Amino acid sequence: MKSFIITLLFLGLATSSYSQDKQTKQNREEGLMKVEELPAVVIKRIGADFSVYIPDNNPDKDVRRLEEKFIAYDIGTDYEGAESYLLIMQTKNGSLSATYNGKGKLIRVVENYKNVRLPNEVIFSIYRTYPDYTIVNDKYLYTQEDGDILKKQYNLKIKKGKEKLRLTVRPNGDILKVR
């Protein structure tokens, strides 16, 4: 009787272990998360004009936190009577500068950060292209004007022994310049 129960228990566990689906290449590719660009945020409506800001999809939490602060910021009536109004927000590793026109419409945003967390695509691209190099420091520049992204790039300094290179890389990993 004891051996019969043990046999049933063994068969019950053995059959449940085969119930898992075998991972195929197609299943693994379906399971990957897609990174999508965030939609534009309308900060304020001024008559027929809209202040449009497209937040970046940066993996660094400090960058996202400053962008969220900027989106939540209410310019109020500070811009009245001025030809243009400049708003500057800073953190210890970067800054966000926004320019508004005399009507309070957002014209231009310039974000500049140092030592941010790099996207995986950038890291993989650098180490694939320059395998023995290490990333010494990085800067991130993000510029948009009237809701259009003008510049979105990482300026990196990499080092191998005494040899140093300066790279300009897009967030998707494309290397634009090598100096």
Side-chain angles (χ1 to χ4, degrees), residues 46-63:
I46 302 119
D49 290 335
F50 291 92
S51 290
V52 177
Y53 172 68
I54 303 170
D56 182 38
N57 202 7
N58 196 294
D60 192 273
K61 64 180 179 184
D62 291 333
V63 173

Side-chain angles (χ1 to χ4, degrees), residues 100-175:
Y100 294 87
N101 68 6
K103 295 179 182 176
K105 181 184 177 208
L106 181 64
I107 299 172
R108 185 175 174 93
V109 178
V110 176
E111 298 180 49
N112 196 354
Y113 303 97
K114 293 186 287 185
N115 300 325
V116 296
R117 182 172 177 239
L118 299 172
N120 292 337
E121 293 85 4
V122 172
I123 295 170
F124 293 145
S125 174
I126 299 300
Y127 288 131
R128 189 177 332 112
T129 311
Y130 302 98
D132 295 333
Y133 285 78
T134 57
I135 298 172
V136 178
N137 65 21
D138 60 85
K139 293 180 182 177
Y140 176 61
L141 182 63
Y142 180 70
T143 307
Q144 73 178 42
E145 190 169 320
D146 290 325
D148 296 325
I149 299 172
L150 301 178
K151 202 177 265 190
K152 187 175 182 182
Q153 66 187 29
Y154 292 89
N155 297 321
L156 306 171
K157 185 176 180 183
I158 60 174
K159 183 178 178 181
K160 175 184 168 184
K162 292 186 178 185
E163 186 179 354
K164 295 179 186 175
L165 294 174
R166 294 182 186 273
L167 306 174
T168 302
V169 184
R170 286 195 177 130
N172 64 359
D174 293 343
I175 299 173

